[in-house]
Each structure stands twice: as structure tokens, then as C-alpha cells.
Amino acid sequence: MSEKVNLIDQSTYNDRRNRDTDEGKDAATRITPRSSKFKNKHRKPEQQASLLDFVVKPRPKSQRQIKARKLQRPHLTITRSSYIVNKPKGKTRIDPKKKVTKLKRSVRSYRTLKKVERDIAEQEPEEEIQPEAIPVEQRVQELSLVEIPPTKVSPQGGETHSIHSRRFRSYCDNCTRPRLKELCLNLLKDLDRFQKRAFAKNEIKARAHPRLVLGFREALARLRIDKVKLLILATDCEICPGESGLDETIEGLKFQCQQGKVPYCFPLVRRELSYALQKRAQISCVAILDFDGANAIFADLLIELEDARAEYKRRTAL
């Protein structure tokens, strides 16, 4: 081919070069960078800044950050307390009626009767007892040198032994030994800790399979279906004779345990039971349904209970 095709004059070359440089400048001014870092630098002077320019958008979290956040959370989360009952469904009254059980009504009626009798006794003047009014047999008995075992008269009309008192009622049939108290406290604390841990994991399963229940009504309901492994009763329950009273309820619980061959004991007073289970109200009865995890303490408690019962029989036989 001829070289004339590749040859151009000087004026054409200058025009072509000037045109390329002008197109490059226009392209540079026309194309703006997409990065948000330099966006404001290339903004036209007539555009004004707004508040949206100062909004910082959060960066989306990666899967690794989300997984690390989950691992930092505690494994167990207690959504609600272990003994709080769920909020009832349906309408709620402004002044709800308090349900009073039959046992509570009998206790209140006996308290009222005692208060009335005490007020009448305080109003009446005390009559001085003359020596002639004392029977001859009683005076001879006081002067006799033979030691007679002391007895007390219970409110029901029967006689009780001298070891019984207000803190150790006549329905108890085992002595409160220090070793028995210690084992009972350890057992209650361990089972309460196990139950709270189960409520923290899964509340529905924990309510279906409780470790222990409180109160005479719950204990009697579990005794009827043979679910109780050990029944713990307080030694200082309030005196309440009569039909469906507190004394009759305790005797019914003891009868149910004897029929089902369920061990029962009287190791602590009401205040000590509530302290062991971290409750404000005094507790009179605790029914243990599952002692798994504290088998050694339970076995030692049964052995110590037999010794305490033998000691009670030996002391009351005098």
C-alpha cells in the first residue's frame, strides 16, 4: 500500500488533537465518583446542603458478628419467677372476691372465739381460791413424796407430756434433733435450687413435674395419688380443734401417710421452713415429690428419723 494514506497535514493533526482534549475534559467534568466519601466535593455550587446529608446509615451486620453476639448472651434466662402464676384470662373485677378455704374459715372462727373468751375473762374479777375449796385428794397429792410425772392438759381435753410445748405440739411423734434439722434444711435447699433451675430452662415442663409442693391442700392432693416421697410438717402449727380444723387436718395427713407407707417427720418450726425455701410467709407443710439429685441426704434423713422417733418413744414412756 502507499504511505499517502497515513499522512495528514499539520492543520488536520492539530484540530484532531484539540478535539480529543476537549472531549476528555467534558467527560471528566461530566462523570462524578460514586463513592459517598467524595460525593459532596463534586456537588454543584447551586445545590444546598440538607439534614439528610448528615444521616449515618448503620452497616449491615455480618453472620460472624451475629453469631458472636448470640454466644455472649447467658445460656439461661429467667423470664418470670418460679412461683408466680400466669395472668388469668378473661375479665378482671375491680374489687375481686378473695376465696377463703374451709380450713382458713375454721381457723378464723377459732381465733374469734378465743378472743371473745379472753375478753370475758379479763372483765370478770378473779376470785381468790380458799384453801378449804381445794379437794383433800389434791392436797395429799401435793404433800406426797412420790414423784409424779408432770402432765399438761391440751385444749382438746386430753393430757399431753411435759416435753410438748407451744413450739412442739402434741401431734409430733419424733424429737427435733440438730442432725435431723441440718439434713432437712440441706434437702429443702437443694430441691428448691433444682426446681428454680428447671423453671429457668423450661417453665411448662417444670410445672408438670415439680420437685416439691407447699401447703396442706397440695400435700393432701398428692398423697391421694401416691406421688409424695416425704412429708415435712412444722412442729408449731396453730391450735385449731373441731371439725375440719387444723388439728384434724394434720391427723388426716398422718393417717394418709401411714396407709401409703410414706415417711413423715416434724423437724422444724414454720419460720425455719420458710427461711429454707426463701419465702416470706410461714410454711406449715412441705411435700417432697422427687428427691433425685439428693439421694444421699434423703437416705441419711430417713436413718436419722428412725433414731429421733425411738428417742421420742423413750422420753414419753417415762
Side-chain angles (χ1 to χ4, degrees):
M1 290 180 65
S2 175
E3 293 181 0
K4 293 181 179 180
V5 179
N6 297 329
L7 295 176
I8 58 175
D9 56 350
Q10 186 66 31
S11 61
T12 306
Y13 173 73
N14 293 335
D15 295 337
R16 186 68 179 268
R17 187 178 63 177
N18 294 334
R19 189 177 57 185
D20 293 337
T21 54
D22 293 336
E23 289 178 0
K25 289 180 180 180
D26 295 336
T29 56
R30 189 170 56 251
I31 299 173
T32 57
R34 295 184 180 180
S35 176
S36 61
K37 185 176 181 180
F38 303 99
K39 187 182 295 183
N40 295 331
K41 291 184 178 181
H42 299 277
R43 182 172 294 180
K44 294 181 181 180
E46 59 270 11
Q47 293 180 352
Q48 299 294 330
S50 62
L51 293 178
L52 295 176
D53 298 335
F54 301 96
V55 175
V56 180
K57 295 183 180 179
R59 294 183 178 180
K61 295 181 180 180
S62 62
Q63 293 295 331
R64 183 179 297 177
Q65 292 176 346
I66 295 172
K67 190 174 182 181
R69 183 78 178 253
K70 287 182 179 179
L71 292 175
Q72 289 178 359
R73 295 177 183 174
H75 183 63
L76 299 177
T77 55
I78 301 176
T79 56
R80 57 174 68 92
S81 179
S82 56
Y83 295 107
I84 295 177
V85 182
N86 294 333
K87 185 177 179 181
K89 296 181 180 180
K91 61 182 180 182
T92 55
R93 300 180 183 273
I94 299 175
D95 298 325
K97 298 180 181 179
K98 294 183 179 180
K99 294 182 180 180
V100 182
T101 59
K102 192 175 182 181
L103 178 61
K104 188 66 175 179
R105 284 199 298 269
S106 63
V107 171
R108 287 179 178 177
S109 62
Y110 184 72
R111 286 177 184 171
T112 306
L113 181 63
K114 280 181 62 178
K115 185 178 180 181
V116 171
E117 291 178 354
R118 186 167 56 251
D119 294 342
I120 294 173
E122 289 176 356
Q123 292 176 1
E124 293 179 355
E126 296 182 357
E127 299 179 358
E128 296 183 359
I129 301 175
Q130 301 295 332
E132 293 80 6
I134 302 176
V136 179
E137 298 178 356
Q138 185 174 351
R139 281 184 285 173
V140 171
Q141 184 176 351
E142 291 176 357
L143 297 174
S144 62
L145 300 177
V146 180
E147 184 178 358
I148 301 174
T151 57
K152 296 180 181 179
V153 180
S154 63
Q156 292 84 352
E159 293 185 352
T160 60
H161 201 270
S162 61
I163 65 173
H164 296 126
S165 63
R166 189 175 180 181
R167 292 173 60 88
F168 188 73
R169 294 276 312 282
S170 59
Y171 58 79
C172 304
D173 55 3
N174 64 267
C175 293
T176 55
R177 306 174 73 177
R179 176 64 177 165
L180 183 64
K181 286 186 176 182
E182 181 184 358
L183 290 172
C184 184
L185 285 173
N186 293 337
L187 181 64
L188 289 176
K189 288 179 180 178
D190 288 349
L191 294 181
D192 186 52
R193 179 166 52 86
F194 295 157
Q195 182 156 298
K196 287 179 180 178
R197 185 179 64 183
F199 268 83
K201 287 184 178 179
N202 192 333
E203 187 177 354
I204 297 175
K205 289 185 179 180
R207 288 188 181 277
H209 305 284
R211 290 299 191 100
L212 50 89
V213 292
L214 312 178
F216 290 109
R217 185 181 62 180
E218 295 292 334
L220 187 59
R222 297 315 196 283
L223 273 172
R224 287 171 179 166
I225 57 177
D226 298 331
K227 292 291 184 180
V228 180
K229 302 298 186 298
L230 175 66
L231 186 67
I232 299 175
L233 295 166
T235 60
D236 62 338
C237 290
E238 189 175 352
I239 298 173
C240 183
E243 186 179 358
S244 66
L246 199 55
D247 295 342
E248 184 179 343
T249 303
I250 294 174
E251 293 298 328
L253 286 171
K254 289 170 63 177
F255 179 75
Q256 288 280 350
C257 291
Q258 292 168 3
Q259 292 293 323
K261 296 181 180 180
V262 177
Y264 61 92
C265 62
F266 305 91
L268 304 168
V269 296
R270 289 179 291 175
R271 183 64 65 186
E272 292 172 341
L273 283 174
S274 61
Y275 177 78
L277 296 173
Q278 300 178 359
K279 299 291 182 182
R280 289 186 178 180
Q282 295 182 353
I283 298 174
S284 300
C285 179
V286 181
I288 295 174
L289 310 180
D290 185 10
F291 56 86
D292 192 16
N295 298 355
I297 300 176
F298 186 80
D300 295 342
L301 178 62
L302 293 182
I303 296 172
E304 190 66 25
L305 178 60
E306 294 296 330
D307 297 342
R309 220 164 249 163
E311 182 182 352
Y312 176 82
K313 290 180 181 179
R314 184 173 65 253
R315 293 181 64 177
T316 53
L318 298 177

